[in-house]
Amino acid sequence: MKIDLHVHTNPLSPDSLMSAEQAIETAREIGLDGICLTEHDRAWPLSEIHSLREKHNFPVFRGVEVMLRGGIEMLVFGLNIDFTTLLQLSDLRSMVTAAKGFIVYAHPFRGLPELTISDADAALKITLGKIDMTSIDAVEGRNGRHRDMYNQPALEMAARYSLKTTGGSDAHAVDEIGTCVTVFESNISTEAELLNELKAGRFSSAHFRIKERWTWSKAQEP
């Protein structure tokens, strides 16, 4: 089952150029099996997720992309609340554990210069200096807004720490949907099933489609 596990929609993510309706219809058109709405520090109400599922007859899930102190971001599943203050990773870990949720380190090498990224050991040292790797459950190994030179060290970091990798487009526009996906071994239809499969590690990251056009401005480039 192919799910784009990292998608932003407007208005909950103001920097997104698409609605949830557009994201869902695009996911269906390109052959995905599901989509997960992960807004910036905001959580979709479960009732609205159910309404979207029923209206489009398509699997729709939810998570939150949480900005932490130091500018790092985590994809959180199973803790669907609005985040109004910048937390330390240790605080988020405690909250997610209490909620029996799951944490994915989103695009871990974002923001590093290309010359630094080209030195794998240096890039890894910088990134590992930002977080305690025991506080996360998985790594976003394939992010659709990154070129391979940024995704490859994420895959290598996950392998070093024996962590599974997820894939997501990080889409903010319809042409970005499905560039990277998470492939689950089982069919998933509920939020509880999504969490169960994440915790069981029955998933992997993959590229799915090539972006049709680039929508980034210079300010958005990693």
Side-chain angles (χ1 to χ4, degrees), residues 21 25-26 47 60 68 73 80 92 123 144 147 156 164 181 189 219:
E21 306 271 355
E25 286 305 312
T26 300
S47 60
V60 182
L68 299 175
E73 292 180 296
N80 294 293
L92 181 66
R147 299 184 296 280
E156 293 172 2
K164 301 285 288 187
V181 297
S189 59

Side-chain angles (χ1 to χ4, degrees), residues 137-152:
D137 299 310
V139 173
E140 186 177 50
R142 290 182 170 87
N143 178 289
R145 287 198 138 200
H146 280 316
R147 299 184 296 280
D148 285 344
M149 70 178 299
Y150 281 86
N151 285 327
Q152 187 58 40

Side-chain angles (χ1 to χ4, degrees), residues 3-4 8 10 15 22 30 40 50 75 94 198-199 216:
I3 300 176
D4 190 336
H8 297 280
N10 194 283
D15 59 345
Q22 291 172 313
I30 66 174
H40 296 294
H50 284 161
L75 293 171
S94 296
L198 286 170
K199 290 180 178 182
W216 288 358

